Amino acid sequence: MGLSEALGQRDTEALLPVTQAMELRKRNYYVERPLLNQEQLEELGCLTSATETHQWRTWFQCSYTRARALLLQHLPVLAWLPRYPVRDWLLGDLLAGLSVAIMQLPQGLAYALLAGLPPVFGLYSSFYPVFIYFLFGTSRHISVGTFAVMSVMVGSVTESLAPDEDFLQAENATVDEEARDAARVQLAATLSVLVGLFQVGLGLVHFGFVVTYLSEPLVRGYTTAASIQVFVSQLKYVFGLQLSSRSGPLSLIYTVLEVCWKLPQSVVGTVVTALVAGVVLVLVKLLNDKLQRHLPLPLPGELLTLIGATGISYGVGLKRRFGVDVVGNIPAGLVPPVAPNPQLFASLVGYAFTIAVVGFAIAISLGKIFALRHGYRVDSNQELVALGLSNLVGGIFRCFPVSCSMSRSLVQESTGGNTQVAGAVSSLFILIIIVKLGELFQDLPKAVLAAVIIVNLKGMLKQFTDICSLWKANRVDLLIWLVTFVATILLNLDLGLAVAVVFSLLLVVFRTQLPRYSILGQVPDTDIYRDVAEYSEAREVPGVKIFRSSATMYFANAELYSDALKQRCGVDVDHLISRKKKLVKKQEQKLKRLKKLQKQTAASKDTSVSIEVNSSTRDMESNNMEDSKAEGEGSAMSCRDGGDHACPERKATDLPAQVSTGNELEGMAASGQEDAKAPDVTTLKALGLPQPHFHSLILDLGALSFVDTVCLKSLKNIFRDFREIEVEVYMAACHTPVVAQLEAGHFFDASITKQHLFASVHDAVLFALQHPRSSPASPVLMTKL
């Protein structure tokens, strides 16, 4: 053990070029410092207690600077719009906004069908929330508006709380679509208000970190399962079928079975329309991919398909002649604001929280991706507020909950979008369509909208390739992905997300319960200690055992930590302590018998014995028997059998025998006292027990991030148990917050002090080697590091 003076300088120089090796020889410097325990480190570093700051005091301070900062923080448009470089960015934002609006129009109409609402409400949801986000958002590139996952989540709510069966007309058993749509619009608008309130509230209390519990594999597995839900929900429009409204667990399975059962009832005209529209959309997308470098803007395949399909439907009469279902009436102009229905809050609050978390998770994930790519910062709490206000205001104007779309965001970025101005431009273009052009799409077949939705699922369906990549990279993340996907498919979107989050958190707990435990050894000629099972050159320090866990110790794994420590040390600590206690108990019982015997000897000295010379032979025999009991059973039997001939020393009188017996008792008692006073009578060696092959145990606590009461008790038990088998315990590499928590938990006392805690593992090793099983108050040596 010990460091060489050169610290492996020759090996280092052999790996360096000649010039660098020569420079290293010129420097040839050393660092020498004292061996430091925690007390000496605090004294040397002048540790000071951090002054407690009360953040709430600043909340009530009023000043112009603070008011301006709060205004700019919660209304970011006032911060970046005055500095907007018109010449450099305006043209790109206009082109990006126009491109996004061209995509927003068909997607808004189509995603409204996913939500179970008339298509025009998809246009409303593409205008109000987008403009609100322009004022309050901090991401420059995400495109807020209708999104397939959010729409299908809203659709599951509206179809479960307002199913078709509740609106059957008694006279002809048909569905009253007008009343049904009105009820579903009210549900969706109220749901949007609740989602907005949740998001704004969480943002104001700085609860943006909630999204950290949704890992990337979880989000990708969830969106992949949601894409399957979206695909299945559009089959009824592709085949022209009338399906039952289902929600809850296994609803997707039942829907697929019903579609298969009713396939013979498909409308041929609807199927042909969907197939043609789908083929056209795929061809346009392939053409865009090939001509991407040569086209200033991608061809608007969705818009061209919608215009062409609407014209063909109007000219040929697809609904009248072939029974193809069309969009129907699209009212021109905006609708007046309507207050939400408070009576629906109780039934919608659970759905609202789920949708709020999912919508924010998708938005902030995309926002951070673009922010890292373009070098700016996205405020997660302000994003919550912005998205919440978008949904809150949108709900008042009969919109359904929105988030951001990955496909539109990529188009906005690739076409030159630089700021939120692109979103404002797209919302104004949608406003023009709502006011003047919306009624032109009344003859648009719903099958075309279904084809638009299915083709746009390509990006999310590609996420199935995550299975192969995660299998190679991280199989725990793959397990999260698969569980999220299967739970969402089987249990629907709301319960699936809850199961996925709970499983992910339980997996984290499980992984902390089973960390990697290591016995460390010293890398030659360094002060570095590594796992001896991983580093073949690392050698255990003779007489010192160094133990490390890769995770923090807390109530869930404290017992496992102790068990792993005793197992890795190669000593059955509990069995050894048990044997030691049994032997010590036997010694204590022996000492008690000797003390009792000593008391009897002292009592016999104080008793006056009268001896009568003319006593009868019977009395002398009686006295002999009493004296023989004091000497022992063997001698008593010998004297009784042989008489005076067998015991010639006992003749006329019994007094010499009594004196001899008293001397023997005094000797035995004295020997018992000497045994009781022996200092090492309870040591393992004195008891004949095997001794551990190490005299010091060092706990590397560098991975400890916090301590709880169970951790404190476990550490104290480790000190107690190993000291029972004559092994001194030291701790090393604790962080300052952990030391403060140890102090607050009254961990240090007369037997465990800060002198048992060292600045590094190397300091603890050197101290243990110089002072095996010594008091921690021993002098500290200097060492070269």
Side-chain angles (χ1 to χ4, degrees):
M1 173 62 189
L3 295 174
S4 68
E5 294 183 355
L7 292 173
Q9 182 178 351
R10 290 176 298 175
D11 296 337
T12 304
E13 292 176 356
L15 298 175
L16 296 175
V18 178
T19 54
Q20 295 184 16
M22 292 178 64
E23 182 66 24
L24 184 63
R25 292 193 195 97
K26 291 179 181 178
R27 282 182 276 171
N28 198 23
Y29 60 89
Y30 303 96
V31 176
E32 188 176 83
R33 67 168 177 83
L35 187 155
L36 296 175
N37 58 34
Q38 184 63 29
E39 281 188 350
Q40 295 163 336
L41 178 63
E42 292 176 0
E43 182 180 354
L44 182 65
C46 299
L47 177 66
T48 57
S49 57
T51 56
E52 186 178 359
T53 58
H54 299 282
Q55 183 66 29
W56 57 269
R57 292 180 179 177
T58 62
W59 296 349
F60 303 101
Q61 294 178 356
C62 283
S63 65
Y64 169 78
T65 304
R66 177 169 172 76
R68 184 174 180 275
L70 286 175
L71 180 63
L72 295 180
Q73 178 184 353
H74 295 293
L75 197 60
V77 67
L78 298 179
W80 61 265
L81 190 59
R83 301 194 300 268
Y84 182 79
V86 177
R87 292 183 179 180
D88 298 332
W89 287 359
L90 182 59
L91 180 60
D93 283 338
L94 289 175
L95 293 176
L98 182 61
S99 303
V100 170
I102 291 172
M103 291 185 65
Q104 187 90 271
L105 171 62
Q107 288 184 3
L109 296 172
Y111 293 158
L113 295 180
L114 280 179
L117 306 175
V120 68
F121 290 94
L123 297 180
Y124 299 153
S125 300
S126 301
F127 166 63
Y128 292 104
V130 178
F131 192 78
I132 297 299
Y133 185 84
F134 160 74
L135 299 175
F136 295 95
T138 60
S139 177
R140 302 176 186 173
H141 295 89
I142 66 172
S143 174
V144 172
T146 57
F147 182 50
V149 175
M150 299 288 289
S151 300
V152 76
M153 293 180 75
V154 175
S156 67
V157 176
T158 56
E159 291 179 4
S160 63
L161 298 182
D164 293 340
E165 291 78 8
D166 293 351
F167 301 94
L168 292 175
Q169 296 176 345
E171 56 273 9
N172 53 6
T174 58
V175 178
D176 186 357
E177 294 185 358
E178 185 175 350
R180 181 200 64 186
D181 291 344
R184 289 183 175 180
V185 166
Q186 188 179 38
L187 279 170
T190 305
L191 181 65
S192 182
V193 170
L194 274 178
V195 169
L197 289 175
F198 272 122
Q199 289 176 335
V200 171
L202 293 176
L204 292 178
V205 298
H206 288 204
F207 207 67
F209 68 89
V210 70
V211 74
T212 58
Y213 294 105
L214 303 178
S215 63
E216 184 180 359
L218 189 149
V219 173
R220 292 178 70 86
Y222 184 79
T223 53
T224 306
S227 67
I228 301 296
Q229 296 263 11
V230 171
F231 177 81
V232 172
S233 68
Q234 295 307 293
L235 293 179
K236 63 180 180 180
Y237 298 111
V238 171
F239 295 103
L241 302 175
Q242 295 293 328
L243 302 179
S244 304
S245 298
R246 288 187 173 87
S247 61
L250 301 179
S251 59
L252 182 70
I253 308 299
Y254 292 136
T255 302
V256 172
L257 294 177
E258 187 177 3
V259 169
C260 296
W261 181 260
K262 292 185 176 181
L263 272 181
Q265 305 174 15
S266 301
V267 179
V268 177
T270 302
V271 175
V272 172
T273 303
L275 286 175
V276 172
V279 170
V280 171
L281 288 170
V282 170
L283 291 176
V284 173
K285 286 186 177 294
L286 292 175
L287 188 62
N288 280 331
D289 293 339
K290 277 195 171 184
L291 303 178
Q292 183 178 5
R293 298 180 180 179
H294 306 287
L295 294 174
L297 293 175
L299 295 175
E302 290 90 349
L303 182 60
L304 294 176
T305 304
L306 260 61
I307 295 174
T310 304
I312 294 173
S313 175
Y314 177 77
V316 177
L318 291 180
K319 182 177 182 180
R320 184 181 69 258
R321 296 178 60 184
F322 301 101
V324 177
D325 195 11
V326 297
V327 169
N329 182 40
I330 297 180
L334 300 173
V335 294
V338 177
N341 186 2
Q343 297 178 352
L344 299 174
F345 283 0
S347 58
L348 294 176
V349 63
Y351 299 108
F353 183 78
T354 303
I355 294 174
V357 172
V358 172
F360 172 64
I362 295 170
I364 196 63
S365 300
L366 283 176
K368 288 186 175 180
I369 289 173
F370 289 117
L372 289 173
R373 186 179 300 175
H374 294 275
Y376 62 91
R377 181 177 176 273
V378 172
D379 186 348
S380 59
N381 294 309
Q382 182 58 28
E383 284 295 294
L384 257 177
V385 173
L387 203 59
L389 289 174
S390 299
N391 284 313
L392 180 61
V393 175
I396 296 174
F397 287 93
R398 302 187 186 181
C399 301
F400 56 86
V402 298
S403 183
C404 75
S405 168
M406 183 183 302
S407 58
R408 292 198 308 270
S409 299
L410 292 172
V411 168
Q412 180 172 322
E413 182 202 27
S414 61
T415 53
N418 297 293
T419 62
Q420 296 92 315
V421 171
V425 171
S426 68
S427 67
L428 293 176
F429 187 78
I430 295 296
L431 176 62
I432 296 172
I433 295 174
I434 294 173
V435 174
K436 295 294 182 182
L437 305 177
E439 56 186 357
L440 299 178
F441 294 97
Q442 293 182 359
D443 291 315
L444 175 65
K446 290 183 178 180
V448 175
L449 294 178
V452 171
I453 293 172
I454 292 173
V455 171
N456 281 316
L457 292 177
K458 174 187 173 184
M460 285 192 288
L461 292 175
K462 276 186 174 181
Q463 293 177 158
F464 276 109
T465 58
D466 291 350
I467 296 176
C468 297
S469 59
L470 290 176
W471 176 265
K472 298 176 182 178
N474 192 319
R475 296 184 183 179
V476 175
D477 285 345
L478 174 62
L479 185 61
I480 294 174
W481 195 100
L482 292 175
V483 169
T484 303
F485 178 82
V486 173
T488 306
I489 290 293
L490 297 180
L491 304 178
N492 218 341
L493 293 169
D494 48 357
L495 292 177
L497 179 65
V499 169
V501 172
V502 171
F503 177 78
S504 181
L505 295 179
L506 287 177
L507 198 59
V508 172
V509 174
F510 180 76
R511 294 173 75 178
T512 60
Q513 282 187 304
L514 296 176
R516 183 178 182 83
Y517 298 111
S518 307
I519 294 296
L520 305 186
Q522 185 190 28
V523 178
D525 296 332
T526 69
D527 61 348
I528 299 173
Y529 296 83
R530 291 294 182 265
D531 189 351
V532 294
E534 295 178 350
Y535 290 79
S536 59
E537 289 298 320
R539 295 288 183 268
E540 288 192 53
V541 181
V544 179
K545 191 71 70 173
I546 310 170
F547 183 77
R548 182 179 65 189
S549 170
S550 63
T552 189
M553 180 169 55
Y554 66 114
F555 67 92
N557 64 1
E559 185 176 355
L560 298 175
Y561 182 94
S562 300
D563 294 342
L565 170 62
K566 294 174 181 178
Q567 181 182 2
R568 294 297 182 92
C569 286
V571 178
D572 194 343
V573 179
D574 296 331
H575 180 66
L576 194 57
I577 292 175
S578 176
R579 291 181 61 190
K580 179 180 178 181
K581 287 181 178 179
K582 288 181 181 179
L583 293 175
V584 170
K585 188 176 181 181
K586 287 182 180 179
Q587 280 199 348
E588 290 176 351
Q589 292 175 352
K590 180 180 178 182
L591 289 176
K592 285 181 181 179
R593 288 196 301 269
L594 291 175
K595 288 181 180 179
K596 185 177 180 181
L597 195 59
Q598 182 182 7
K599 289 180 180 179
Q600 292 178 357
T601 304
S604 65
K605 284 184 178 180
D606 296 337
T607 304
S608 59
V609 181
S610 61
I611 303 175
E612 297 180 0
V613 178
N614 296 325
S615 60
S616 65
T617 307
R618 186 177 301 172
D619 293 336
M620 293 178 65
E621 290 177 354
S622 176
N623 290 336
N624 289 337
M625 290 179 64
E626 290 178 357
D627 293 337
S628 66
K629 288 181 181 178
E631 293 176 357
E633 185 178 355
S635 61
M637 291 293 296
S638 174
C639 290
R640 278 201 298 268
D641 295 338
D644 293 340
H645 297 286
C647 299
E649 67 275 9
R650 298 185 179 183
K651 294 273 175 112
T653 179
D654 203 35
L655 183 59
Q658 290 182 356
V659 174
S660 175
T661 303
N663 293 336
E664 290 179 3
L665 288 173
E666 287 180 1
M668 293 175 64
S671 65
Q673 288 180 348
E674 290 177 359
D675 292 342
K677 294 178 181 178
D680 294 332
V681 72
T682 59
T683 61
L684 297 176
K685 185 176 182 180
L687 294 172
L689 295 176
Q691 293 179 278
H693 59 280
F694 56 97
H695 56 75
S696 300
L697 171 66
I698 298 173
L699 304 179
D700 183 358
L701 301 181
L704 211 64
S705 57
F706 68 93
V707 293
D708 56 9
T709 54
V710 178
C711 175
L712 294 177
K713 291 180 180 178
S714 298
L715 288 175
K716 284 195 172 185
N717 290 338
I718 289 171
F719 270 84
R720 180 199 64 201
D721 291 346
F722 278 89
R723 283 175 172 175
E724 281 286 333
I725 62 172
E726 302 168 14
V727 174
E728 187 58 53
V729 183
Y730 304 101
M731 301 181 297
C734 272
H735 302 294
T736 302
V738 174
V739 177
Q741 292 175 8
L742 291 174
E743 291 178 330
H746 305 289
F747 176 76
F748 299 111
D749 51 23
S751 61
I752 307 174
T753 67
K754 284 187 179 180
Q755 295 180 9
H756 289 93
L757 178 57
F758 289 86
S760 68
V761 173
H762 190 59
D763 288 344
V765 170
L766 291 179
F767 185 87
L769 289 175
Q770 297 295 331
H771 310 85
R773 291 196 299 274
S774 65
S775 168
S778 301
V780 179
L781 301 181
M782 299 289 290
T783 179
K784 291 184 179 181
L785 297 177

